[in-house]
């Protein structure tokens, strides 16, 4: 009990202490945000800060801080320390950096940010990888909530209508009806402007999630005080059934959301396009990850309590354990509301994952998203792929296990790559990169070790299957090489235009924009004649051009030539 409460306090204190350090390095200021500069009424618009916070929480949370920690607590009570430490110096930093990078790149998605920092080759490789990961996310986040509803609805109907024959409620039928309903919602939420579906309903969903988690927390304290021998400690029966896999790398792949998750880097740009001020970034990006850590702590504690009370549950699926937790601690009505909160948690990450895929493809192929037809043209092929994944994953329990394993592994690969990109970005801005290097290098070491060590013989997906110590050594070497490369890229060229106002030029509206604004403006900016001297100086400082006849070029040609360089 004390270790659990201590971990919760660490998360709250860490938000104010370490969060302030990270904020001082990232330096959010009063510049115009993408929501102001690029307003389009669909994806770029200002939403209230409290809405952005709840939307971000639901975007990033998914089922990781519930299902993931129910699995992860099987590693033991050490989880109550790893979650807060990893969250504060890792996951929350990851989300804050990815959000700020997007805002400083005019709301760009992660692949574009990677392109500008790691190069064209990395961009194409990682764009494909990210889209594949997000497709897995959507498939998982349709499958799990449909499965939970499939387990809950027949029970509710039988209690409400005891005269019904149980055989009249067909589980497969309910599962696929739920799949269809969730899929239809994903399409609607993906196509509509962000304020019409996500902005309107997410705050309500967020409150339901927080209330359900708070109810479990209160029940844990109540039962733990009355029966401390079975709550949040490792009983002998629990120890006998604990997972024996190595904590590094297995725990950090199992508990993705709550500690660190690459999926969050794909979601932060959605909110980066709706913030009115950069000064809200800490609350929205760093703060909501801390809240997710608190959610994870509560469900990890509930999982340990159920495993202590009934060790047979340690061999059950996490969905069954979740149903057992809610029924034991909260009873029927409140338990069902909490299950609905978890279902919503999954659904509200799946729909924004679909939205992110659409925006990423549109951004890479330069397809305008102001038209519903254009949005639909991108969504239809995605839907067909997701249906195929669902059909395959439900062939057997083994198929879904493979789907989940690759989702979890890919998630952490993306987290490591996001922080690798963040390292380059910070170095180019002449900021202290250690806030990205420390968690990024650790997660890079974890995922490389996992790929080298895991195999079907180790109970994981297909991997190389090397000895664990050899995997550690190779992973350490490759991690040093990757982050050495990041330091080389970041130190080779610096960007100081954000700090030096003399490196700005004036656009048609009289606003001062930097090179990034010009690159994202599709030629909308215009050079006033009196600013050409400043533009020449800027070109020299940025080492962008040895262009001849600059005075004779028209604005459009000049911009294209310099940006093209």
């Amino acid at each position: 009990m004390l270790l659990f409460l201590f971990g919760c306090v660490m998360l709250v204190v860490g938000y104010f202490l370490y969060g302030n350090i990270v904020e001082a390095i990232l330096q959010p200021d009063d510049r115009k945000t993408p929501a102001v500069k690029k307003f389009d009424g669909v994806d770029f618009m200002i939403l209230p800060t409290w809405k952005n916070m709840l939307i971000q929480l639901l975007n990033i949370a998914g089922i990781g801080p519930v299902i993931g920690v129910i699995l992860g607590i099987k590693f033991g009570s050490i989880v109550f320390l790893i979650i807060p430490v990893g969250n504060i110096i890792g996951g929350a930093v990851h989300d804050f950096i990815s959000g700020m990078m997007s805002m400083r790149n005019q709301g760009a998605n992660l692949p574009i940010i990677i392109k500008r920092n790691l190069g064209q080759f990395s961009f194409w490789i990682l764009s494909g990888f990210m889209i594949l990961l997000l497709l897995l996310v959507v498939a998982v986040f349709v499958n799990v909530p449909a499965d939970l509803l499939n387990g809950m609805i027949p029970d509710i109907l039988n209690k409400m209508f005891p005269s019904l024959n149980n055989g009249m409620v067909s589980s497969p039928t309910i599962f696929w009806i739920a799949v269809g309903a969730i899929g239809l919602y994903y399409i609607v939420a993906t196509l509509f402007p962000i304020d019409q579906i996500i902005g309107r309903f997410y705050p309500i969903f967020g409150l339901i999630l927080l209330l359900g988690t708070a109810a479990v927390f209160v029940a844990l304290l109540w039962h733990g005080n009355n029966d401390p021998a079975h709550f949040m400690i490792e009983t002998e029966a629990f120890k006998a059934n604990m997972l024996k896999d190595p904590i590094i790398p297995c725990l950090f792949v199992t508990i993705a959301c709550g500690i660190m998750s690459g999926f969050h880097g794909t979601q932060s740009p959605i909110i980066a396009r709706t913030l009115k001020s950069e000064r809200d970034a800490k609350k929205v990006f760093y703060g909501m990850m801390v809240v997710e850590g608190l959610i994870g702590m509560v469900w990890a504690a509930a999982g340990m309590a159920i495993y202590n009370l009934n060790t047979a549950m340690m061999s059950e699926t996490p969905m069954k354990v979740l149903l057992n937790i809610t029924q034991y601690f909260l009873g029927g009505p409140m338990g069902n509301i909490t299950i609905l909160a978890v279902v919503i948690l999954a659904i509200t990450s799946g729909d924004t994952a679909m939205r992110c895929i659409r925006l990423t493809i549109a951004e890479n192929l330069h397809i305008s998203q102001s038209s519903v037809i254009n949005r639909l043209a991108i969504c239809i092929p995605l839907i067909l792929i997701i249906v195929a994944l669902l059909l395959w994953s439900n062939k057997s329990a083994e198929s879904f296990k493979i789907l989940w394993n690759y989702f979890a592994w890919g998630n952490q690969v993306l987290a490591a790559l996001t922080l690798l990109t963040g390292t380059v970005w910070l170095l180019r801005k002449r900021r202290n990169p250690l806030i990205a290097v420390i968690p990024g290098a650790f997660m890079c070491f974890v995922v490389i070790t996992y790929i080298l060590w895991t195999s079907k013989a180790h109970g994981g997906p297909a991997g190389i299957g090397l000895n664990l110590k050899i995997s550690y050594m190779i992973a350490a070497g490759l991690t040093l090489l990757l982050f050495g490369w990041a330091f080389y890229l970041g130190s080779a060229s610096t960007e100081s235009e954000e700090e030096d106002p003399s490196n700005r030029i004036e656009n048609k509206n009289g606003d001062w924009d930097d090179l990034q604004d010009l690159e994202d403006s599709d030629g909308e900016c215009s050079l006033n004649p009196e600013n050409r001297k400043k533009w020449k100086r800027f070109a020299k400082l940025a080492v962008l051009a040895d262009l001849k006849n600059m005075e004779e070029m028209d604005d459009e040609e000049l911009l294209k030539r310099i940006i093209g360089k």
Side-chain angles (χ1 to χ4, degrees):
M1 175 72 80
L2 290 177
L3 192 60
F4 164 69
L5 294 175
F6 177 70
C8 291
V9 172
M10 281 180 64
L11 282 164
V12 175
V13 172
Y15 170 78
F16 292 102
L17 295 183
Y18 197 69
N20 286 345
I21 294 172
V22 176
E23 185 178 37
I25 292 172
L26 296 180
Q27 299 178 17
D29 57 32
D30 295 318
R31 73 187 64 203
K32 290 183 179 179
T33 62
V36 177
K37 289 182 178 180
K38 300 183 68 175
F39 174 84
D40 65 1
V42 179
D43 299 304
F44 291 85
M45 64 179 68
I46 295 173
L47 294 178
T49 302
W50 67 272
K51 274 193 177 184
N52 277 322
M53 292 172 71
L54 287 173
I55 293 170
Q56 174 71 359
L57 175 62
L58 290 175
N59 283 357
I60 65 176
I63 51 175
V66 179
I67 299 298
V69 297
I70 287 173
L71 287 168
I73 196 62
K74 295 179 185 179
F75 284 92
S77 56
I78 188 68
V79 167
F80 294 134
L81 286 178
I82 290 177
I83 288 177
V85 172
N87 184 296
I88 290 298
I89 68 173
V93 174
H94 168 280
D95 293 8
F96 201 174
I97 290 176
S98 60
M100 285 299 298
M101 287 195 297
S102 180
M103 293 184 77
R104 292 293 171 85
N105 284 272
Q106 303 308 303
N109 278 308
L110 189 57
I112 297 296
I113 298 169
I114 289 172
K115 174 183 172 182
R116 290 170 181 165
N117 290 279
L118 301 184
Q120 186 76 28
F121 179 76
S122 299
F123 161 71
W124 287 113
I125 295 295
L126 296 175
S127 290
F129 180 83
M130 192 185 90
I131 290 171
L132 177 61
L133 172 64
L134 288 172
L135 287 169
L136 293 176
V137 167
V138 177
V140 168
F141 288 1
V142 171
N143 195 308
V144 171
D147 195 31
L148 287 171
L149 290 172
N150 185 45
M152 182 178 71
I153 291 174
D155 184 60
I156 294 173
L157 290 176
N158 289 328
K159 288 178 180 178
M160 291 175 62
F161 306 104
S163 60
L164 281 176
N165 186 311
N166 287 346
M168 293 177 65
V169 181
S170 172
S171 290
T173 300
I174 290 177
F175 175 84
W176 287 108
I177 289 173
V179 165
I182 294 167
L184 182 61
Y185 166 76
Y186 282 4
I187 296 168
V188 172
T190 301
L191 293 177
F192 275 65
I194 193 167
D195 62 329
Q196 292 186 18
I197 300 293
I198 293 174
R200 187 168 297 173
F201 295 108
Y202 268 38
I204 299 171
F205 295 160
L207 289 174
I208 293 173
L209 165 65
L210 293 174
L211 287 173
T213 302
V216 174
F217 177 73
V218 171
L220 275 170
L221 296 182
W222 175 267
H223 286 279
N225 183 61
N226 294 332
D227 186 14
H230 288 92
F231 282 79
M232 291 168 274
I233 60 171
E234 296 176 4
T235 63
E236 291 303 317
F238 180 88
K239 289 178 182 179
N241 290 276
M242 282 174 57
L243 291 177
K244 303 301 189 291
D245 294 330
I247 288 178
I248 299 177
C250 294
L251 173 61
F252 295 91
V253 173
T254 303
I255 305 181
C257 304
I259 297 176
M260 188 189 299
S261 171
F263 171 63
H264 298 188
T266 70
Q267 301 300 288
S268 292
I270 294 175
I271 301 303
R273 301 182 181 106
T274 60
L275 285 178
K276 182 180 181 180
S277 171
E278 284 190 357
R279 297 192 185 277
D280 293 329
K282 180 193 170 188
K283 290 181 286 188
V284 173
F285 298 120
Y286 196 96
M288 291 304 98
M289 181 57 188
V290 171
V291 172
E292 181 178 326
L294 289 168
I295 292 171
M297 290 285 286
V298 170
W299 287 99
M304 174 169 274
I306 289 298
Y307 294 145
N308 281 333
L309 292 166
N310 182 8
T311 53
M313 293 300 297
M314 296 185 79
S315 61
E316 294 289 351
T317 66
M319 277 75 83
K320 287 185 179 179
V321 177
L322 173 60
L323 290 167
N324 198 287
I325 288 171
T326 57
Q327 292 302 313
Y328 180 82
F329 287 112
L330 304 176
M334 189 62 194
N336 289 331
I337 291 173
T338 306
I339 289 294
L340 284 175
V342 176
V343 168
I344 289 168
L345 194 67
I347 292 172
T348 52
S349 289
D351 64 356
T352 49
M354 273 282 287
R355 193 179 193 89
C356 185
I357 298 172
R358 171 177 67 78
L359 291 169
T360 299
I361 293 172
E363 196 171 54
N364 292 352
L365 300 179
H366 305 290
I367 301 172
S368 171
Q369 293 299 279
S370 58
S371 165
V372 175
I373 294 175
N374 286 355
R375 285 176 256 160
L376 197 58
I378 294 175
C379 287
I380 289 174
L382 299 177
I383 293 163
L384 295 176
I385 294 171
I386 291 162
V387 169
L389 283 170
L390 282 170
L391 289 170
W392 173 77
S393 66
N394 281 279
K395 289 174 62 178
S396 67
E398 185 64 25
S399 296
F400 180 76
K401 183 181 178 183
I402 293 171
L403 181 69
W404 179 269
N405 278 330
Y406 277 104
F407 154 66
W409 164 78
N411 194 28
Q412 300 304 62
V413 169
L414 194 59
L417 293 172
T418 301
L419 288 169
L420 186 75
T421 304
T423 299
V424 176
W425 183 72
L426 287 168
L427 285 165
R428 286 179 171 172
K429 303 299 180 189
R430 299 175 183 173
R431 315 276 174 77
N432 188 340
L434 289 181
I435 58 169
V437 172
I438 293 171
F442 177 77
M443 192 52 68
C444 188
F445 173 77
V446 164
V447 294
I448 294 174
T449 300
Y450 185 75
I451 294 167
L452 294 173
W453 172 80
T454 194
S455 66
K456 292 185 177 179
H458 293 139
I464 297 175
L466 296 179
N467 174 272
L468 185 61
K469 289 184 178 179
I470 294 174
S471 299
Y472 284 155
M473 289 188 288
I474 297 174
L478 291 176
T479 299
L480 287 173
L481 284 174
L482 280 171
F483 277 84
W485 175 57
F487 269 81
Y488 168 77
L489 290 177
S491 303
S493 63
T494 59
E495 298 174 4
S496 59
E497 75 275 4
E498 290 179 4
E499 293 77 24
D500 186 358
S502 67
N503 289 341
R504 307 273 177 106
I505 63 169
E506 191 173 3
N507 68 14
K508 290 176 181 177
N509 300 319
D511 299 317
W512 291 88
D513 292 320
D514 57 21
L515 178 64
Q516 191 58 65
D517 299 324
L518 291 172
E519 185 171 354
D520 290 327
S521 67
D522 296 322
E524 291 294 323
C525 293
S526 175
L527 298 176
N528 294 327
E530 61 269 22
N531 286 313
R532 284 180 175 268
K533 288 183 180 179
K534 289 182 180 179
W535 184 237
K536 285 182 182 179
R537 181 171 180 270
F538 179 82
K540 289 179 181 178
L541 287 173
V543 198
L544 284 173
D546 46 348
L547 297 177
K548 297 179 180 179
N549 305 319
M550 290 178 69
E551 296 291 344
E552 300 172 6
M553 296 179 187
D554 62 19
D555 291 350
E556 184 177 357
E557 182 182 1
L558 182 59
L559 292 174
K560 285 182 178 178
R561 290 287 299 277
I562 294 179
I563 292 169
K565 287 280 182 176

